[in-house]
């Protein structure tokens, strides 16, 4: 007799059974390790977040430093004189 709540009843009898991952085997064998695993995942995620933040800070510092070095190598700005357009009459367009 097949129980309606069992996981095998939901599967197709002809379908291959999915392979259990090593992590799933560990969690099935010792349920108390779930808390340790969740703490490890949180620690790893926070370490990755800190690393990404550090890379972002270093990238911003590098871009600002590079811009300062480029500005120091440039000469002084040139004086640009715009043509005087006030003496032209609107009807003399060519």
């Amino acid at each position: 007799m097949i129980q309606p709540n069992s996981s095998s009843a939901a599967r197709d009898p002809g379908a291959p059974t999915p392979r259990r991952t090593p992590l799933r085997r560990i969690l099935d064998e010792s349920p108390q390790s779930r808390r340790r695993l969740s703490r490890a995942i949180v620690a790893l995620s926070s370490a990755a977040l800190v690393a990404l933040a550090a890379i972002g800070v270093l990238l911003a510092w590098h871009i600002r430093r590079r811009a300062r070095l480029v500005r120091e190598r440039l000469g002084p700005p040139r004086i640009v004189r715009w043509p005087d357009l006030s003496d032209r009459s609107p009807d003399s367009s060519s």
Side-chain angles (χ1 to χ4, degrees):
M1 179 176 172
I2 298 176
Q3 296 176 356
N5 292 337
S6 71
S7 62
S8 62
R11 286 194 214 120
D12 183 23
T17 58
R19 289 181 29 190
R20 288 177 45 186
T21 63
L23 179 59
R24 175 53 55 197
R25 269 186 257 134
I26 291 171
L27 289 175
D28 287 342
E29 291 170 3
S30 57
Q32 68 273 12
S33 62
R34 183 177 299 271
R35 184 173 175 103
R36 289 178 56 205
L37 180 65
S38 64
R39 284 185 179 176
I41 290 172
V42 167
L44 184 62
S45 299
S46 58
L49 184 63
V50 167
L52 283 173
I55 289 172
V57 167
L58 288 174
L59 186 63
W61 171 79
H62 172 72
I63 289 172
R64 290 192 62 195
R65 180 178 169 267
R66 185 81 175 153
R68 183 180 47 86
L69 290 173
V70 166
R71 264 184 272 139
E72 286 175 357
R73 273 191 270 147
L74 293 175
R78 288 186 268 166
I79 298 174
V80 177
R81 304 229 184 255
W82 290 93
D84 188 20
L85 300 176
S86 61
D87 61 344
R88 286 190 172 186
S89 61
D91 61 325
S92 64
S93 61
S94 41

